[in-house]
Amino acid sequence: MEYVETRDVPIRELTRFPGNARRGNVDRIRESIRRTGQYRSIVVRDTGEQLVILAGNHTHDAIKAEGHTTARSEIITCDDVEARRINLADNKLAELGDYDLDALAELLSYLEGDYAGTGYTDEDIQALITPADGSGGDSDGSDTTGARKSLAERFGVPPFTVLDARQGYWQERKKSWLALGIDSGAGRGGELTGGFANAAAQQAKYHGGDATEVPSWAGTSIFDPVLCELLVRWYSAPGHRVIDPFAGGSVRGLVSARLGRHYTGIDLRPEQVEANDASATDWVNRGLLGITTPDTPSAYGPDDLTPIEVHAGYRVKRDDLFTIPGGAGGKVRTCLTLARRATAGLVTAGSRQSPQVNIVAGVAASLGLPCRVHVPAAKGPLTPELAAARTAGAEIVEHRPGYNNVIIARAREDAAQHGWTEIPFGMECAEAVRATAAQVTNLPADAKRLVVPVGSGMSLSGILAGLTAAGNTVPVLGVVVGADPTGRLDTYAPGWRDRVTLVQSPLDYHTPAAETELGDLPLDPVYEAKCLPFLEDGDVLWVVGRRETALDTPPAERPRWVVGDSRNLRDLVEGDDLYDFMLTCPPYHDLEVYSDDPADLSRAGDYPTFLTAYRECLSAATDRMRPDAFAAIVTGPVRDAKGYILDLPTDTTRIMEDLGWRLYQDAVLVTAVSTAAIRAARGFVLRKLTRTHQAVAVYHRGNLNDVRTWPSVEAGDLEGEASEEGLQQSE
C-alpha cells in the first residue's frame, strides 16, 4: 500500500467497495455529521480507472444522504488482495475492542445529557446503569458471567446523589431483604404515642377500612433496608464496628450484621431492644447471620432437602445451606452422620488446604468430642483450614513424608489405638453416597445439564445414585478440580461414563478461580467457582458446600442493642474499642413521638432544646469513633406548629462540623408516593408541597487514603479432597 494524498473528492466519483459485508447504522452517522461534520477521512483506493472506498462506506452513504457534494478522502494505491484485507480489517478490528465502562460513563457525563452525534442514546446510558434484561452484560445477555456489570449490579444501585427507591431494581432488592423476615413493626406497638395512631387511622380512613385493622405501627417511619445496605457497603468495610446512637427498630442492626459488620445500637425503650434481640435470635437460628455455635441449629437438618435458588439467571442447588461450625454442605452432612456414632473422639486425615480438617474439627466441637487431624508437615504458618481447625479445638498432627498412604495409615492407627472414630479421607464411604443421593429429588425436571465440581468424586457418586433412583436422566458435567476421580467413581458409581462428561479445570487445585461469584452468590474459589466458565443456559449448578475460610467477609457477629440515653453513650458501651462507622436516623424533632420518657428527644419540647440534646448525643458518639471514620445520618426537614420548615439536615451538618466532621457526601432518597398523593391535596390548601424524599448526609474526618485499601463494594462451598499430587506438593 502506498499513500498518495488527502483531498476532497466529489461524491459522484466515489464507488462503494463491492461486497462490503458490514452493515452500518447510517442514521446514527448522519446525526454525527450534522453535529460535528466529517471528522475523519474515508480511505479510497485509486485503481487507475475508479476510486473505490475501502474504509468508510457508510460514512460515504451518510454524507451523500445529508446532501454534501464532496467527501474528504485519503487516496492510496494497492493491489486487490491488500484492498480486501484493508476492508476486512476496518470492519472487524473495531469490533474486537472493549470499553472501560467507568471511563465511558465519566466521558459521557461531561455532555450533560446532550448525546447528539456521539452514536449514544438515552437508552444506552440507562443500560450502563441497569441492563433491561438484568443480565449484567451486553443487551443480548451473552455476558452471563457478569464480567461487564452495570452500575446497579456493581454497587447495589447506581451511586448517584439521587437514590430512587421507586425504581424496579430498588424494589426487587427491598423484597429480597424483607423476604429474610425483617419485622419492621416489632417493638413499635400501641405503647408508642403521638402521631402513630393518628397515622394508622388516616391510612384506614383513606383506604375505606377500619383503623382497628391497621397495625398500630403502620404510621411509623421504617428505615429502608436497601438504603441501610448501601450505606454500610459504601462507607464501611467488612469487620468494621458500627455505632447507632438512635437505633429504633432492628433493620440497621440486622442488615449490618448480615454484611459482616459489628453493630451496636442505643435505644431508650427496653421494649424496642427486647424486640430487636428477638429478631436477631430468629436470624441467628435460621442461619441468616452466618453465626454458628454448638447450640445454633442449621436452617436445614441432615434429612431436609436443601433448596433450589436462582442466581444470575442460573438455577443453583444450595446444598451448602446445611451448616455446622467450620463448614457447610454434603461433606458436613456425611461427617455428622458418622460422628454421631462416636463414643470417644474423631480422627481424620487431609491435606493442609483441605476443608475436611476444619469440617471434622467443627463437627467434633459441636458434639463435644476431642479431635485429631493428620496432615503433611510443611514449613511456615498453618493454612487457614488448619488454623480454623485448631481454633475449634483439634490437635494438628504433622507427618513427613506427606503422601496419602502415610497420613491415612497414621490416622487409622491413631483411631484404632485410642478407640476413636475415623472419618475417612475424602469422606470415601457408602454413607456419603446415601446422604447425597437423598438431595436429588427436588432438582428441576427441565434442567439442560447438571454441573458439579468434582474433587474426590464422592459427591458426584452420591448425586448419580440419587438420579438413578429417581429415574432422572439429566446429563451431568463434572468439572474436575483435583486429581483423576475415576477410581472412586468406578467403585461407588458404576456406569457413570454413560451419562457423565468430565472436563478438567485448567487451574491447578491450589490455584483459586479469579471470578468467585455467581450474581450475588459467593462460591468456593477452589471448587464451585471453577465451574463458572462451563455454565450454559438451562444448566443447574450443584453447590456442594462452603468452606468457612473461603468466605469473603469475616464471620458475622450478632448485632447488639443497649437500653439507654445516647447522651450517656460513653458509659453505655463497654470497653475502649473505637467504632469505624456511625449509621443512624435521629428523631425528626416531634414529628413522631416515640415514648413518654422525658429523655426522649422526640419529647424535648421546642426546637432549640431538641438541637441541644441532639448535639449531646452526636458528641458522645463522636468520642467513640476512630480518627479516620465515616458517619451517615438520614434526616429530613420538619414543620413547626405554625407550619414553617425547621431545616434539620442543615442543622445536623452544622452540629457535625462543630464536632470536627466534614460533610463528604450528600444525597436525596426519593421515596414512593404512596399515600402522599392523598395528603398532597389537603396540604396544598396552604400551598404546602408534600415531601417525598429524605436527606442522606455522609460525614468524614481524618485521612481518606485508607478507603482505597477497602475491599471492593461488589454488591458482600465445597467438597472433595486434595489429590495425592497435591499432598506431595504440600510436603
Side-chain angles (χ1 to χ4, degrees):
M1 185 199 77
E2 292 185 6
Y3 170 76
V4 177
E5 62 178 338
T6 298
R7 61 183 172 88
D8 290 337
V9 177
I11 294 291
R12 65 178 183 276
E13 296 180 10
L14 295 172
T15 301
R16 296 182 94 262
F17 187 84
N20 183 53
R22 184 73 170 173
R23 297 294 179 263
N25 191 320
V26 174
D27 289 340
R28 294 279 183 95
I29 300 173
R30 290 182 65 179
E31 182 183 22
S32 175
I33 289 171
R34 285 195 297 271
R35 187 62 182 264
T36 59
Q38 184 189 352
Y39 58 82
R40 69 178 180 186
S41 302
I42 60 179
V43 179
V44 176
R45 177 193 180 195
D46 186 352
T47 68
E49 298 177 355
Q50 57 183 347
L51 297 175
V52 180
I53 302 170
L54 302 185
N57 285 273
H58 298 99
T59 300
H60 160 270
D61 296 345
I63 292 171
K64 183 177 181 180
E66 285 297 303
H68 294 270
T69 58
T70 62
R72 187 169 66 257
S73 307
E74 288 189 21
I75 311 299
I76 67 169
T77 59
C78 62
D79 60 25
D80 290 345
V81 172
E82 290 306 307
R84 297 187 187 97
R85 192 181 304 278
I86 291 170
N87 178 262
L88 289 169
D90 184 67
N91 287 333
K92 181 62 178 177
L93 293 180
E95 294 180 10
L96 300 179
D98 205 340
Y99 285 99
D100 179 330
L101 296 185
D102 291 336
L104 175 60
E106 181 176 2
L107 191 61
L108 288 165
S109 71
Y110 291 117
L111 300 183
E112 298 182 345
D114 181 7
Y115 309 121
T118 66
Y120 287 92
T121 65
D122 289 336
E123 290 75 16
D124 296 328
I125 306 307
Q126 186 64 26
L128 281 173
I129 301 171
T130 175
D133 66 351
S135 69
D138 297 332
S139 59
D140 63 0
S142 59
D143 189 6
T144 56
T145 65
R148 295 181 60 184
K149 296 179 180 178
S150 70
L151 292 175
E153 289 172 315
R154 292 177 59 190
F155 305 120
V157 304
F160 300 151
T161 54
V162 175
L163 304 171
D164 194 347
R166 303 167 302 177
Q167 295 294 329
Y169 54 75
W170 189 293
Q171 291 298 318
E172 287 302 312
R173 205 169 188 89
K174 187 172 183 177
K175 287 178 184 177
S176 296
W177 278 109
L178 296 179
L180 295 178
I182 291 179
D183 186 356
S184 301
R188 318 200 89 182
E191 69 274 12
L192 296 182
T193 60
F196 294 104
N198 291 335
Q202 291 292 343
Q203 284 197 9
K205 176 180 177 181
Y206 287 99
H207 286 84
D210 184 343
T212 61
E213 298 176 356
V214 179
S216 57
W217 51 268
T220 66
S221 58
I222 303 300
F223 203 87
D224 191 311
V226 179
L227 177 62
C228 180
E229 176 190 5
L230 299 177
L231 294 174
V232 169
R233 285 190 185 276
W234 292 354
Y235 296 105
S236 72
H240 274 183
R241 291 163 54 83
V242 179
I243 188 69
D244 185 350
F246 306 104
S250 63
V251 173
R252 293 193 292 276
L254 294 176
V255 172
S256 297
R258 185 164 171 84
L259 297 177
R261 277 66 169 178
H262 308 304
Y263 171 94
T264 300
I266 312 297
D267 196 90
L268 276 172
R269 300 176 57 250
E271 303 92 336
Q272 185 67 71
V273 170
E274 182 180 352
N276 292 351
D277 281 333
S279 295
T281 298
D282 174 60
W283 276 41
V284 170
N285 289 342
R286 291 191 290 128
L288 298 179
L289 295 183
I291 302 171
T292 54
T293 70
D295 300 323
T296 300
S298 169
Y300 297 88
D303 299 324
D304 293 337
L305 273 176
T306 50
I308 303 292
E309 297 180 348
V310 177
H311 296 271
Y314 292 100
R315 289 172 290 187
V316 182
K317 170 67 173 178
R318 292 294 308 279
D319 210 25
D320 60 314
L321 291 181
F322 172 70
T323 63
I324 58 97
K331 179 176 265 190
V332 177
R333 186 186 294 109
T334 300
C335 182
L336 183 61
T337 302
L338 298 174
R340 282 176 170 168
R341 304 169 187 169
T343 57
L346 302 182
V347 173
T348 196
S351 79
R352 298 179 70 85
Q353 291 78 16
S354 170
Q356 171 148 336
V357 293
N358 191 25
I359 288 172
V360 176
V363 169
S366 69
L367 298 176
L369 296 171
C371 177
R372 274 193 293 275
V373 297
H374 294 255
V375 298
K379 296 179 180 180
L382 296 178
T383 63
E385 285 72 24
L386 290 180
R390 176 169 286 176
T391 299
E395 177 185 353
I396 311 297
V397 183
E398 299 182 284
H399 300 281
R400 290 186 183 275
Y403 299 108
N404 281 15
N405 56 354
V406 172
I407 64 168
I408 292 173
R410 300 288 171 78
R412 188 163 296 147
E413 292 170 4
D414 185 8
Q417 181 179 353
H418 295 88
W420 289 13
T421 297
E422 179 193 4
I423 305 299
F425 178 84
M427 298 295 173
E428 184 177 353
C429 59
E431 185 59 48
V433 175
R434 287 193 294 271
T436 303
Q439 289 295 322
V440 168
T441 56
N442 64 342
L443 288 177
D446 61 342
K448 173 185 173 182
R449 295 184 309 180
L450 181 61
V451 180
V452 183
V454 181
S456 67
M458 293 309 301
S459 289
L460 178 56
S461 296
I463 291 169
L464 292 173
L467 292 174
T468 300
N472 189 329
T473 59
V474 62
V476 178
L477 178 71
V479 180
V480 179
V481 301
D484 185 359
T486 56
R488 287 192 180 94
L489 291 173
D490 287 338
T491 300
Y492 292 96
W496 64 271
R497 289 177 174 82
D498 294 336
R499 66 181 312 167
V500 177
T501 300
L502 291 181
V503 294
Q504 182 74 46
S505 168
L507 299 175
D508 175 75
Y509 174 81
H510 301 285
T511 303
E515 180 68 34
T516 60
E517 293 184 353
L518 182 62
D520 61 348
L521 177 64
L523 300 175
D524 185 87
V526 177
Y527 288 81
E528 280 76 8
K530 293 178 181 177
C531 295
L532 292 178
F534 300 96
L535 285 180
E536 299 176 357
D537 290 343
D539 286 347
V540 175
L541 174 64
W542 188 296
V543 178
V544 173
R546 181 190 73 236
R547 86 175 80 193
E548 182 181 80
T549 57
L551 297 177
D552 290 335
T553 58
E557 180 180 279
R558 180 191 177 101
R560 187 164 67 104
W561 290 273
V562 179
V563 177
D565 185 341
S566 286
R567 284 171 282 195
N568 302 320
L569 188 145
R570 302 172 184 88
D571 301 322
L572 293 173
V573 178
E574 299 176 356
D576 299 324
D577 290 339
L578 299 178
Y579 290 84
D580 307 278
F581 182 45
M582 185 195 308
L583 172 63
T584 198
C585 180
Y588 290 13
H589 187 212
D590 57 0
L591 179 65
E592 298 173 350
V593 181
Y594 291 90
S595 74
D596 294 323
D597 191 329
D600 194 326
L601 263 65
S602 63
R603 302 187 65 85
D606 60 43
Y607 188 61
T609 302
F610 164 82
L611 289 180
T612 298
Y614 180 35
R615 186 188 194 284
E616 292 174 356
C617 293
L618 293 178
S619 176
T622 296
D623 287 348
R624 295 304 298 263
M625 301 297 295
R626 293 189 182 279
D628 297 324
F630 284 104
I633 304 179
V634 180
T635 57
V638 293
R639 294 185 182 273
D640 64 13
K642 295 182 178 180
Y644 293 103
I645 286 180
L646 303 172
D647 195 353
L648 180 57
T650 298
D651 290 330
T652 298
T653 295
R654 177 178 55 79
I655 291 171
M656 291 293 282
E657 290 184 343
D658 287 346
L659 295 174
W661 299 85
R662 297 290 303 278
L663 181 62
Y664 182 72
Q665 183 62 65
D666 63 328
V668 172
L669 174 67
V670 180
T671 55
V673 172
S674 187
T675 58
I678 301 171
R679 291 183 281 113
R682 299 198 310 272
F684 201 69
V685 171
L686 292 176
R687 299 305 189 263
K688 294 179 182 178
L689 305 182
T690 300
R691 190 170 302 279
T692 59
H693 71 275
Q694 292 176 284
V696 181
V698 178
Y699 304 91
H700 183 265
R701 62 178 191 166
N703 191 332
L704 285 167
N705 289 336
D706 288 345
V707 177
R708 300 179 185 275
T709 68
W710 290 2
S712 171
V713 168
E714 293 186 51
D717 313 358
L718 87 104
E719 171 275 334
E721 267 299 339
S723 64
E724 180 173 347
E725 176 187 4
L727 288 170
Q728 293 170 357
Q729 290 172 347
S730 298
E731 196 279 330

